[in-house]
Amino acid sequence: MSDKVLSVIIPSYNEEENISRACSVIGDILNEAGIRHRLVFVDDGSKDGTWAAIEEMSKTDPNVTGLHFSRNFGKESAIYAGLAYSVDAACAVVIDCDLQHPPVKIVEMYRLWEEGYEVIEGVKSSRGKESVVNKLGAGVFYGLMSHSMKMDMKRASDFKLLDHKAVLALVNMREKNAFFRALSSWIGFKTTRVEFDVQERAAGESKWSLFKLAKYAVNNLTSFSTAPMKAIIFLGIIALIVSLVMGIIALVQKFTGTASAGFTTVIILQVFSLSVIMISLGILGHYIAKIYDEVKGRPKFIISKTCGEHKADKDEA
């Protein structure tokens, strides 16, 4: 293990405009603080000039290393690729390439790590500019995650520093559909928090559409929690209550002689029951698909190219 070398993991997808800026800003802050480091850019199958920008930076900055995926595997896979590459570092921090996570907070995290903390969580004191729909969706998602994990996830982020032991614990997990933000809290270790305000993007636009965010939330919720499957029980109870109420109404009307033909009631009950059944089958099907993905045992990612060297962790002359 490289003594006190910090590995900065930077997932990058179509971030051509931000590579040079991220490298310069993060590097300057860590150099000024006297923290030995390496910057590990993970290109998640970008379609623009992201990889070319990473290669160019690795030629001029000995602290820059680049990993290039054979295709787009997603941010979670990019994070885990960076963690796997950083197992020889004393500690590792994950930060967004767009600098919405303030790099200056890395120094504070590193100092806390030197004090003996093994997981330093970056928690959002504000979420920055978001639409009402995104805020509502995030609230529901993290509310469910907090309930299933029995810990507060409402202000959680991917911005966190992990000790070598914590990195090994995550890398050695075999599950393919791993939710880093939750698992890095679930593993335990001596933990503390650092608050930060989400910054404006340094350049470019967010790669997260509403559809992608919804898909990301569903995948991670079902990967880490069985709450949706348990919700089937409540759907069944609701359907039973509605059926009982409608049944009682029908019997009362029958015995009082006020019963109508009942065609509308029958159709409503059938549509409601079928809806509950189809939703339940959909939830079960999604979990079965997750099991199928895990059983196949395919890797989380495939690295097609690398650049840069581990010059940062060499002993100083």
Side-chain angles (χ1 to χ4, degrees):
M1 182 178 67
S2 303
D3 185 34
K4 287 204 170 183
V5 171
L6 169 66
S7 184
V8 184
I9 300 165
I10 311 172
S12 310
Y13 178 66
N14 292 344
E15 295 286 2
E16 178 183 4
E17 300 175 73
N18 286 317
I19 298 299
S20 176
R21 183 180 285 101
C23 183
S24 175
V25 172
I26 297 172
D28 287 348
I29 289 173
L30 296 180
N31 285 330
E32 185 178 346
I35 299 174
R36 296 171 63 203
H37 65 278
R38 75 170 74 118
L39 305 181
V40 183
F41 287 93
V42 184
D43 180 11
D44 186 20
S46 299
K47 299 176 182 178
D48 62 359
T50 296
W51 179 245
I54 294 172
E55 284 187 311
E56 189 62 31
M57 292 306 304
S58 70
K59 293 175 183 177
T60 58
D61 189 338
N63 293 328
V64 173
T65 297
L67 310 177
H68 179 62
F69 283 177
S70 60
R71 66 170 178 82
N72 177 243
F73 284 91
K75 185 180 181 181
E76 298 295 316
S77 294
I79 291 173
Y80 275 87
L83 291 174
Y85 194 79
S86 303
V87 292
D88 63 333
C91 55
V93 64
V94 178
I95 186 170
D96 284 353
C97 188
D98 57 18
L99 301 183
Q100 287 193 292
H101 297 153
V104 70
K105 288 291 183 177
I106 297 176
V107 177
E108 184 180 345
M109 290 176 166
Y110 187 83
R111 299 307 178 209
L112 287 168
W113 171 76
E114 289 183 317
E115 292 176 14
Y117 290 99
E118 295 162 319
V119 177
I120 297 91
E121 305 257 4
V123 296
K124 302 172 183 176
S125 54
S126 68
R127 298 187 60 88
K129 293 182 179 179
E130 281 187 321
S131 68
V132 176
V133 175
N134 282 355
K135 286 184 178 180
L136 180 61
V140 172
F141 171 63
Y142 287 114
L144 289 172
M145 290 301 297
S146 297
H147 177 73
S148 63
M149 290 182 63
K150 308 302 179 186
M151 62 179 68
D152 184 15
M153 288 286 294
K154 292 179 181 178
R155 298 192 294 154
S157 74
D158 293 327
F159 186 31
K160 53 191 69 184
L161 188 147
L162 307 169
D163 180 76
H164 172 71
K165 292 182 291 185
V167 171
L168 282 178
L170 289 170
V171 169
N172 288 331
M173 289 183 180
R174 297 183 179 182
E175 57 192 271
K176 179 177 180 293
N177 296 294
F179 184 24
F180 171 73
R181 194 172 300 186
L183 285 175
S184 54
S185 299
W186 176 85
I187 57 175
F189 293 105
K190 187 177 180 181
T191 303
T192 188
R193 291 183 166 193
V194 170
E195 292 196 353
F196 70 94
D197 292 316
V198 176
Q199 307 297 303
E200 291 295 314
R201 284 182 60 89
E205 298 179 354
S206 174
K207 311 305 181 296
W208 293 95
S209 64
L210 186 59
F211 174 76
K212 286 184 178 180
L213 286 171
K215 183 179 178 182
Y216 176 78
V218 170
N219 284 337
N220 288 322
L221 180 61
T222 53
S223 295
F224 199 85
S225 170
T226 57
M229 194 176 293
K230 293 176 181 177
I232 294 175
I233 298 173
F234 295 102
L235 286 174
I237 292 171
I238 291 171
L240 176 61
I241 292 172
V242 172
S243 299
L244 287 173
V245 170
M246 297 299 291
I248 292 170
I249 292 172
L251 287 173
V252 170
Q253 290 179 337
K254 177 72 173 178
F255 289 120
T256 57
T258 59
S260 57
F263 180 76
T264 302
T265 303
V266 171
I267 293 299
I268 291 173
L269 283 173
Q270 285 185 336
V271 170
F272 179 75
S273 300
L274 285 173
S275 297
V276 171
I277 292 171
M278 295 305 294
I279 290 172
S280 302
L281 287 175
I283 293 172
L284 291 172
H286 187 79
Y287 275 95
I288 292 171
K290 288 286 185 182
I291 296 170
Y292 179 58
D293 283 341
E294 296 290 343
V295 169
K296 284 187 291 189
R298 293 176 182 172
K300 291 186 181 76
F301 53 84
I302 298 173
I303 296 174
S304 61
K305 289 182 282 188
T306 63
C307 65
E309 300 179 22
H310 283 187
K311 296 180 181 178
D313 54 351
K314 291 183 179 179
D315 291 333
E316 294 180 0

